[in-house]
Amino acid sequence: MNDFVLNCENLSIGYNEVIKKDLNIKLKPREILLLKGENGSGKSTLLKTLLSELKKKKGGYSWKYPLKNISYLPQINKESQSIHYTIKDILEIYNIPSSNRHFISQKLYNSPWENLSGGEKQKVRIASRLTKDVKVLILDEPFNHVDKNATSEITSFLSELVETGKLSALVIVTHKEINFGKTPVVKVEL
């Protein structure tokens, strides 16, 4: 049996040409994988490879769970459209368990999406990925356009999910220095 949630061995990634080679990553249950690096260093390419959207160039990787149990929230660069739903509507549409809603203030449940701050929107986006079957959550730049307080709240919530085993593991791409408290973090610089 695979003891790792994610196991990459000598993995090489890229599009037409290899941009990163011989990546070796071992992520255990109840750990957070923190991917850091400059723009263009291969962070998003690695995520796309691990999600089987891109073919690996060499080496291998394996997940403990099938892809249907891995949820991905891509990087949000800007709001492209209006959503005419309340937060409660969005949480119900995605059928988010109540145990994964507690970090969103109930005072906001009847608020329209358009009225939320960047941090509040990001909390809802993250919650929308936490359906009952999710074992691994992958977040690409989840702290962009989020203030310090919201970053702290999101970080605490994510740490709690991993520490309690509600998520088996978490993969995050970020440029920021993030403190996940006592939750074990595997840092990979790309």
Side-chain angles (χ1 to χ4, degrees):
M1 185 171 152
N2 187 355
D3 291 335
F4 299 104
V5 175
L6 173 63
N7 186 12
C8 298
E9 294 182 348
N10 300 315
L11 179 64
S12 294
I13 59 170
Y15 288 87
N16 295 329
E17 296 180 18
V18 172
I19 58 172
K20 278 292 175 194
K21 64 180 182 174
D22 298 326
L23 292 169
N24 291 292
I25 302 169
K26 296 191 182 312
L27 181 65
K28 296 177 188 171
R30 297 194 178 183
E31 287 185 335
I32 296 172
L33 174 59
L34 191 64
L35 301 172
K36 296 187 81 174
E38 299 296 319
N39 288 338
S41 65
K43 300 179 303 293
S44 294
T45 304
L46 175 58
L47 293 184
K48 288 177 182 177
T49 303
L50 295 176
L51 292 166
S52 297
E53 293 176 14
L54 280 177
K55 289 186 178 187
K56 64 184 180 183
K57 294 295 186 185
K58 186 183 108 183
Y61 67 91
S62 62
W63 288 103
K64 182 176 184 173
Y65 305 101
L67 286 177
K68 69 179 184 174
N69 297 119
I70 300 170
S71 187
Y72 171 58
L73 180 62
Q75 183 176 167
I76 307 297
N77 293 322
K78 68 175 191 166
E79 294 293 326
S80 60
Q81 63 190 55
S82 264
I83 299 174
H84 300 289
Y85 290 106
T86 65
I87 302 319
K88 183 179 178 185
D89 294 335
I90 293 169
L91 296 172
E92 288 175 359
I93 288 167
Y94 284 99
N95 196 23
I96 304 306
S98 58
S99 61
N100 292 340
R101 297 180 183 195
H102 71 275
F103 89 121
I104 298 171
S105 171
Q106 286 193 335
K107 290 186 263 181
L108 296 176
Y109 274 35
N110 292 317
S111 298
W113 175 259
E114 295 86 10
N115 294 352
L116 298 181
S117 70
E120 292 164 340
K121 287 180 178 179
Q122 192 65 342
K123 287 178 186 180
V124 174
R125 286 184 191 107
I126 291 169
S128 75
R129 298 307 191 262
L130 296 173
T131 60
K132 64 182 171 108
D133 297 327
V134 171
K135 303 293 185 194
V136 179
L137 179 61
I138 300 174
L139 303 172
D140 192 354
E141 296 289 357
F143 306 111
N144 283 358
H145 315 295
V146 175
D147 67 26
K148 190 174 183 177
N149 287 340
T151 296
S152 177
E153 291 171 5
I154 291 169
T155 302
S156 294
F157 176 66
L158 294 171
S159 292
E160 175 189 320
L161 292 174
V162 174
E163 287 173 16
T164 61
K166 288 182 182 177
L167 280 177
S168 182
L170 177 65
V171 177
I172 296 182
V173 170
T174 185
H175 288 98
K176 293 186 177 185
E177 281 301 318
I178 303 296
N179 181 358
F180 288 98
K182 60 185 179 182
T183 308
V185 175
V186 175
K187 292 183 181 179
V188 174
E189 189 79 28
L190 294 176

